[in-house]
Amino acid sequence: MFKQVFHTQLNKALKTKMAETEVAQVRFGIVGCANIARKVARAINLAPNSILHAVASRSIDKAKRFASDNGLDPRVKIYGSYDQLLDDPSVDAVYMPLPTSLHVHWAVMAAQKGKHVLIEKPTALDVGELDTILEACQSNGLQFMDGSMWLHHPRTVKMKEMLFDSKLLGNVNYIYSTSTTSASPEFFENDIRVKGNLDSLGALGDLGWYCLGAVLWAKNYQLPTVVTALPDVTTNSDGVIISFSASIQYTEPSSSGATTNAIIHCSFLADTSMDLTITGSKGSLNLNDFIIPQRESSASFEFTLGAKFVDLHIGWNVKPERVVVNCDELPQEGLMVEEFARVVAGIRTTPGMLLDPKWPEISRKTQMLVDAVKKSVDLGCKPVYF
């Protein structure tokens, strides 16, 4: 039933938008048919300012299967190589869900072909590779964004409003974040995320990207003072990290010596969790689905202000307030595509329109933290200073 509804919704949206001829509509090509591409294909066709124009895989048969399995309109072009899609002059932007080891080659080539780049996380194997991608995009006047969908959810916007209201949380003292999933034996045998030659960052790149990004988000993208991997790192026979924890510490450059401590835990070995807790001097925010909301149409979080224990410590003086944020118009991945397409369309149609530097900066700082954790692991869990 879900598959039928998914195909019906996607096909209806695509047929409607294929008939449109609005100049502002951004034509996307998908480079690679990974499973996450199904979700983003749907998002591209739901967003009002974008349309799926082409799909490419390393073989024409795989690309055709992707189109058939996802109910794509027959007018979507199907290519049996990435180069063919990049050579299509009608493609304005590409979405790349490729293995991380392939990002720098194909993203740079896309930029050289004049395509704006929306790329899956982690963006690269290290910040040096990412800088190569960003330079290619910037020098060709092209927008870059990574696929961190949760940043575009209206719940995230609402939480940030409260987070930086000095009358509410106050100074952030502590951040805790997890991203875990209990992977199957087939995952450990076949998935690219545990293959050293394809995605050597493993759980650090796949899951850690979200948790490290959440820490940066909560600190308004201020870089920390020191990052330290904790000595609970688990690797597979390929040397790929499949479970880890890390400490991220901020020491404010002032006489007060104020600090913010963050702990993250990411693993392919534990039951599903997506926790985010931010504790300030006056209150706290809590949610357990920050990466993928439990419901597509709405999401919630708990906010607690001025909590104290009652007499004899037999309870609390307040209960957390549940804040519900609706997401009626588009799911978070649709909002991501819509924002990316908005910038791309502006660059294409408005003389002098500048690239939005926010998204490359967020990606680069997140990649820097990923690199720092990896370096700490390689050093035997020693601290890495910024």
Side-chain angles (χ1 to χ4, degrees):
M1 176 62 72
F2 170 78
K3 189 174 183 180
Q4 181 180 358
V5 172
F6 178 88
H7 286 178
T8 301
Q9 185 182 28
L10 184 60
N11 217 13
K12 182 179 179 181
L14 184 54
K15 285 180 178 179
T16 300
K17 294 175 69 176
M18 277 288 192
E20 296 175 355
T21 57
E22 297 170 358
V23 175
Q25 203 166 46
V26 172
R27 295 161 295 188
F28 273 84
I30 295 180
V31 179
C33 294
N35 192 48
I36 187 65
R38 297 179 64 245
K39 187 175 185 177
V40 178
R42 171 177 177 255
I44 290 168
N45 286 314
L46 289 176
N49 56 351
S50 65
I51 191 167
L52 183 55
H53 175 79
V55 172
S57 184
R58 289 172 297 173
S59 73
I60 191 69
D61 288 340
K62 186 175 180 181
K64 286 179 178 178
R65 280 198 306 273
F66 179 88
S68 175
D69 291 347
N70 292 282
L72 300 187
D73 189 281
R75 287 169 288 184
V76 174
K77 292 188 176 180
I78 307 298
Y79 293 114
S81 75
Y82 304 152
D83 295 279
Q84 288 178 321
L85 186 147
L86 296 182
D87 285 335
D88 186 337
S90 296
V91 173
D92 302 309
V94 292
Y95 165 66
M96 288 191 171
L98 298 173
T100 310
S101 60
L102 302 180
H103 282 186
V104 65
H105 174 81
W106 289 108
V108 168
M109 185 170 290
Q112 291 172 344
K113 299 282 187 177
K115 317 301 185 187
H116 300 267
V117 176
L118 173 63
I119 199 166
E120 263 309 318
K121 31 59 57 184
T123 54
L125 294 177
D126 56 51
V127 75
E129 285 192 357
L130 177 56
D131 282 344
T132 300
I133 296 171
L134 296 181
E135 170 58 28
C137 289
Q138 185 172 8
S139 63
N140 287 283
L142 301 165
Q143 184 63 44
F144 174 93
M145 182 187 285
D146 78 58
S148 297
M149 303 172 185
W150 76 278
L151 291 174
H152 302 267
H153 198 287
R155 175 178 64 178
T156 307
V157 176
K158 179 63 176 177
M159 288 193 301
K160 192 136 196 177
E161 290 175 359
M162 298 179 70
L163 183 61
F164 292 101
D165 186 336
S166 60
K167 297 178 181 179
L168 295 178
L169 264 73
N171 297 321
V172 173
N173 305 126
Y174 178 68
I175 305 163
Y176 172 72
S177 182
T178 69
S179 180
T180 62
T181 183
S182 183
S184 67
E186 290 77 18
F187 176 93
F188 288 115
E189 182 69 25
N190 300 314
D191 199 276
I192 63 171
R193 287 166 287 183
V194 293
K195 303 293 184 182
N197 63 329
L198 295 174
D199 266 297
S200 59
L201 294 172
L204 171 57
D206 182 44
L207 306 178
W209 187 271
Y210 294 116
C211 295
L212 292 167
V215 172
L216 284 168
W217 172 84
K219 291 295 292 181
N220 206 24
Y221 293 97
Q222 174 188 349
L223 288 171
T225 309
V226 59
V227 171
T228 310
L230 303 183
D232 66 343
V233 180
T234 302
T235 59
N236 66 5
S237 59
D238 238 6
V240 175
I241 296 170
I242 58 175
S243 183
F244 77 97
S245 303
S247 167
I248 301 98
Q249 186 175 51
Y250 289 82
T251 302
E252 304 299 335
S254 66
S255 57
S256 66
T259 62
T260 301
N261 294 303
I263 297 291
I264 69 167
H265 177 66
C266 304
S267 178
F268 292 140
L269 303 173
D271 194 35
T272 300
S273 71
M274 296 178 175
D275 300 335
L276 178 59
T277 296
I278 303 169
T279 304
S281 56
K282 298 178 181 179
S284 63
L285 292 176
N286 295 275
L287 61 160
N288 58 11
D289 61 347
F290 86 94
I291 301 169
I292 301 175
Q294 294 170 357
R295 296 176 59 191
E296 185 174 74
S297 59
S298 67
S300 65
F301 62 95
E302 290 188 342
F303 168 66
T304 307
L305 179 63
K308 299 182 183 299
F309 300 127
V310 299
D311 190 30
L312 299 181
H313 287 204
I314 57 173
W316 290 36
N317 65 326
V318 295
K319 291 182 178 181
E321 175 189 351
R322 184 169 178 261
V323 180
V324 178
V325 181
N326 292 325
C327 191
D328 297 326
E329 295 183 6
L330 288 172
Q332 61 179 11
E333 60 271 15
L335 292 169
M336 175 186 72
V337 169
E338 183 180 45
E339 171 61 15
F340 182 73
R342 182 191 65 80
V343 178
V344 169
I347 295 168
R348 189 180 63 185
T349 61
T350 306
M353 179 77 169
L354 299 177
L355 304 176
D356 188 341
K358 174 176 65 175
W359 301 111
E361 180 184 0
I362 288 173
S363 299
R364 191 176 192 278
K365 287 185 175 180
T366 307
Q367 187 77 55
M368 289 174 70
L369 261 63
V370 169
D371 289 5
V373 174
K374 182 65 166 59
K375 183 177 180 180
S376 179
V377 170
D378 293 343
L379 291 173
C381 299
K382 292 183 178 179
V384 174
Y385 294 89
F386 282 85

